[in-house]
Amino acid sequence: EPAPKAGDLQPGEVLVHRLFLSLDPAMRGWMRDMPSYIPPVAVGAVMRGATINEVIASRDAGFKVGDIVRDNTDAGWSEFSV
């Protein structure tokens, strides 16, 4: 999947560049296809996890370029995210 670009943003969205990725012991269990408190991460899917990011483009008045933000969504381990 190609990386999102600033021109792709809709009103209210921001484009972030990942600076730090959370690496948690639970992730090992998420890679197993077995019952757990959360569904497993499929082979080839983006690993979920908290990240620290820099805003590189914004169409949201609450965020400006250069802001540092935390993301704990399923966007996970990717270099860029909307």
Side-chain angles (χ1 to χ4, degrees):
E1 177 176 318
K5 296 181 173 64
D8 299 333
L9 294 177
Q10 300 298 313
E13 292 183 330
V14 296
L15 177 61
V16 298
H17 178 241
R18 304 280 190 238
L19 301 175
F20 298 98
L21 308 170
S22 173
L23 179 59
D24 304 305
M27 292 173 167
R28 183 174 181 182
W30 299 346
M31 294 186 289
R32 296 186 184 143
D33 189 15
M34 57 188 290
S36 181
Y37 69 97
I38 192 168
V41 175
V43 173
V46 174
M47 176 57 80
R48 68 175 78 88
T51 60
I52 302 296
N53 316 275
E54 180 179 8
V55 175
I56 58 172
S58 177
R59 291 198 60 199
D60 185 315
F63 299 93
K64 65 183 185 311
V65 172
D67 282 351
I68 303 299
V69 296
R70 181 175 186 267
D71 182 7
N72 196 28
T73 67
D74 284 340
W77 288 14
S78 57
E79 187 172 359
F80 299 95
S81 180
V82 174

